[in-house]
Amino acid sequence: MSDNRVWSYSATLMGSPILLKLFANNEALAARVFGLIKRYEDLLTVNRAHSQVMDINHAAGQHPVAVSRPVYELIKCAKAASMVQDSAFNLAIGPLVKLWRIGFKGDRVPPADEITARLRITHPQDVVLNDTDGSVFLTQPGMEIDLGAIAKGFIADRVRDYLHQQDVRDGLINLGGNVQTLGTPQGSWSIGLKKPFSSSDALVGSIDVVNKSVVTSGTYERYFEQDGKRWHHILDPRSGYPLDNELDSVTIISRDSLDGDIWTTLIFGLGVEKGCALLKQREDIEAIFVTKNRDIILSSQRQFRFTPCDDSYRITD
Ligand code: FAD
Ligand code: MG
Ligand code: MG
């Protein structure tokens, strides 16, 4: 007999807290899920000397590198998102991410001339793909692919697919901000939306979803302070500096967490007005914007229900 008791399993992978929730006590399944995440981390990480992505990066300016199908397909998808007109998403942002080191030891504002020099080796069109042999070639020396803004979404979807295969109907996986849900325990899953820059676990509201992914990207997640200013980890590929607009965070509700990841970055680059306009073209994707002025803007509420819980924020539909 199943009941509504939830079992939670946690791990630290990809430098992030990982949480799995199941409706059965199944330690072995949790271990297999964490093993799956670990295998993808090993293929995709850029924080170690070796991975399939690092093999591509090491061969920049020299030769193409054939990679496994899932890695190739993810890179292809990341390149397509990067080539959208005015896209803030850029899979070739690696040299700038490594220069700033935000969230890692030694982060600091780099000299302007170093930023300018690295902007020359961050063009997504210089990532050359070959569908026939599944190879990737970075045409300029020093180029680096960084999938930090998309890999967690891709992996969250693989975990969902794996749980489906294992006949798990209800569950939740949270990969440090990428939440993917299965099923409808007690009607829906309720996911907290963090209050930006609050020291505690304070929330601005909660989001109720059924069979949806909820992805949040925020300026408050990874940042450092220098010269009286906060420098966060979502970089503007046009300027080489952290994106600076009215937003504290963007949350995307979608079926696939991969879309959530792409769209949080796209929308961050566009801001509220242009972001809402672009979302009108995609009925299957919805957003919650949290601004520095304490406005919460909901693109629409077809796929989720939002319950506010902080009076200092104003809600706009
Ligand atoms: P998002 O907003 O989704 O993405 C921000 C990240 O995307 C940045 O950190 C950068 O990596 C990249 N990025 C920045 N600007 C852009 C842009 N304009 N376009 C595209 N991408 C951009 N953290 C650790 O501390 N230690 C680790 O060992 C570690 N290993 C990891 C291994 C893997 C496979 C992955 C996916 C992540 C790992 N991380 C690790 C976390 C990583 O460094 C990022 O902090 C994390 O992916 C950010 O995800 P997010 O959803 O919070 O932010
Ligand atoms: Mg993300
Ligand atoms: Mg995040």
Side-chain angles (χ1 to χ4, degrees):
M1 275 285 286
S2 67
D3 56 28
N4 278 333
R5 221 180 119 187
V6 179
W7 276 263
S8 297
Y9 303 90
S10 52
T12 301
L13 294 161
M14 304 185 285
S16 312
I18 312 289
L19 178 69
L20 173 69
K21 289 188 180 185
L22 298 171
F23 285 85
N25 183 2
N26 196 337
E27 194 100 31
L29 177 63
R32 292 202 300 281
V33 167
F34 294 147
L36 181 74
I37 298 168
K38 171 95 174 50
R39 282 199 297 285
Y40 280 118
E41 176 180 7
D42 292 346
L43 293 173
L44 300 169
T45 187
V46 291
N47 296 308
R48 291 181 221 146
H50 292 288
S51 70
Q52 290 198 355
V53 175
M54 283 311 292
D55 291 346
I56 298 168
N57 292 344
H58 288 314
Q62 296 168 46
H63 56 83
V65 173
V67 290
S68 60
R69 238 335 116 174
V71 175
Y72 183 80
E73 293 302 330
L74 179 59
I75 291 173
K76 191 170 175 175
C77 175
K79 181 176 173 184
S82 309
M83 300 299 287
V84 171
Q85 204 185 352
D86 297 327
S87 178
F89 189 98
N90 183 347
L91 87 161
I93 199 90
L96 283 164
V97 174
K98 291 270 165 78
L99 182 65
W100 282 88
R101 302 194 52 75
I102 300 171
F104 293 87
K105 219 172 143 224
D107 47 9
R108 45 84 184 97
V109 180
D113 58 339
E114 281 187 43
I115 293 177
T116 309
R118 301 240 174 159
L119 280 170
R120 287 189 211 109
I121 50 169
T122 55
H123 299 303
Q125 64 268 30
D126 293 335
V127 178
V128 176
L129 303 178
N130 184 334
D131 283 346
T132 312
D133 62 2
S135 69
V136 183
F137 180 37
L138 308 182
T139 61
Q140 307 302 317
M143 281 183 77
E144 287 198 41
I145 289 177
D146 181 305
L147 302 176
I150 194 173
K152 289 200 275 183
F154 169 79
I155 298 170
D157 293 339
R158 299 293 76 72
V159 170
R160 171 202 57 196
D161 297 347
Y162 178 72
L163 291 173
H164 273 150
Q165 278 167 24
Q166 300 293 307
D167 292 325
V168 174
R169 277 182 318 174
D170 303 318
L172 177 149
I173 183 81
N174 184 349
L175 306 178
N178 276 76
V179 177
Q180 181 56 281
T181 65
L182 290 87
T184 58
Q186 293 135 356
S188 62
W189 280 104
S190 190
I191 292 144
L193 182 56
K194 271 195 192 154
K195 180 173 179 172
F197 303 106
S198 92
S199 50
S200 62
D201 289 338
L203 302 176
V204 293
S206 64
I207 306 161
D208 279 64
V209 290
V210 178
N211 287 325
K212 291 281 181 259
S213 155
V214 178
V215 179
T216 300
S217 265
T219 59
Y220 56 89
E221 283 176 11
R222 283 187 185 227
Y223 66 89
F224 66 95
E225 294 186 31
Q226 189 181 317
D227 310 327
K229 202 169 144 50
R230 288 193 190 109
W231 307 87
H232 66 84
H233 72 153
I234 310 167
L235 301 175
D236 186 340
R238 294 152 291 204
S239 68
Y241 286 82
L243 274 162
D244 192 10
N245 56 27
E246 73 274 38
L247 290 167
D248 270 346
S249 77
V250 174
T251 298
I252 296 285
I253 296 96
S254 55
R255 189 182 70 103
D256 291 327
S257 211
L258 185 70
D259 280 330
D261 257 350
I262 291 170
W263 281 79
T264 44
T265 309
L266 276 182
I267 297 278
F268 232 105
L270 292 172
V272 177
E273 209 181 310
K274 287 186 182 162
C276 276
L278 188 66
L279 278 167
K280 291 216 163 70
Q281 298 171 13
R282 288 288 300 259
E283 289 224 326
D284 56 326
I285 293 176
E286 293 185 53
I288 302 173
F289 304 83
V290 180
T291 72
K292 290 175 183 155
N293 286 337
R294 301 203 163 202
D295 284 311
I296 297 176
I297 299 138
L298 310 170
S299 71
S300 85
Q301 284 196 73
R302 285 183 299 264
Q303 306 189 57
F304 67 94
R305 195 176 69 238
F306 183 74
T307 311
C309 63
D310 187 319
D311 287 346
S312 66
Y313 281 78
R314 280 179 308 271
I315 315 281
T316 321
D317 286 293

